[in-house]
Amino acid sequence: GLGLFAGRSLYVGDGASRTVHEMLLALPSSSSSRVRIDQAMIYPNYMNLRVYRGGVDFDDWIWREGSITGPTPAHGTTDRDAAGVFDASAVPWGKVPEIRRAALDAAALEGGRLNGIYVQSREGKLRIGASVAGTRHDATITFDGAGERVE
């Protein structure tokens, strides 16, 4: 791995946006001009981008504590195709800290902590789900492609 940004939380400051930039640089040059993904998963020390290769094929690229691995063929079903993919540049990576804070505030759970942030396209719209776990209850708070809360 590249070892860059080791020890950095992806929930703080520009950690997520810097990490995505690092991951996109690791992609083969033929695919880095316009990277299309069908999901991203963000945790404090781990990020997964599922990169669209064409047809029904996707590759997983993983950043974990400063090291990048990939491509690893993503196991899926043959009914997946380009319908749910979106440009990686469409995700408001720089708003991850605000999304984290807004999700914790909106969930208002006793002992609340962020489990993870999940980015997908639903019915042609970019959606960001923030999973919050509390002592007694869990909640998922949804945001749009601009990082604004969706009721």
Side-chain angles (χ1 to χ4, degrees):
L2 297 176
L4 300 175
F5 312 119
R8 172 181 292 274
S9 171
L10 301 186
Y11 293 162
V12 177
D14 63 353
S17 57
R18 290 176 71 183
T19 300
V20 166
H21 179 71
E22 178 185 342
M23 291 176 77
L24 296 181
L25 288 175
L27 294 173
S29 59
S30 61
S31 63
S32 62
S33 59
R34 182 173 179 237
V35 177
R36 297 188 319 154
I37 60 178
D38 88 327
Q39 73 176 19
M41 296 181 291
I42 307 165
Y43 302 95
N45 61 355
Y46 171 93
M47 182 183 292
N48 173 293
L49 297 180
R50 183 154 290 169
V51 177
Y52 181 60
R53 293 204 35 198
V56 294
D57 295 328
F58 295 83
D59 284 336
D60 281 326
W61 287 83
I62 295 172
W63 180 95
R64 186 185 317 260
E65 298 179 342
S67 296
I68 296 173
T69 56
T72 304
H75 185 75
T77 61
T78 56
D79 63 353
R80 292 178 59 190
D81 58 22
V85 302
F86 51 92
D87 282 1
S89 62
V91 180
W93 304 107
K95 290 192 173 184
V96 166
E98 291 113 37
I99 290 169
R100 175 185 174 271
R101 277 192 303 276
L104 290 170
D105 290 347
L109 296 177
E110 175 188 341
R113 63 177 172 73
L114 191 65
N115 268 350
I117 296 174
Y118 314 96
V119 184
Q120 294 181 313
S121 176
R122 293 195 195 129
E123 299 172 3
K125 295 179 181 177
L126 195 62
R127 291 291 181 248
I128 302 165
S131 173
V132 179
T135 305
R136 295 171 176 40
H137 304 282
D138 297 335
T140 299
I141 309 300
T142 304
F143 300 84
D144 64 17
E148 300 297 322
R149 182 153 181 229
V150 176
E151 298 294 332

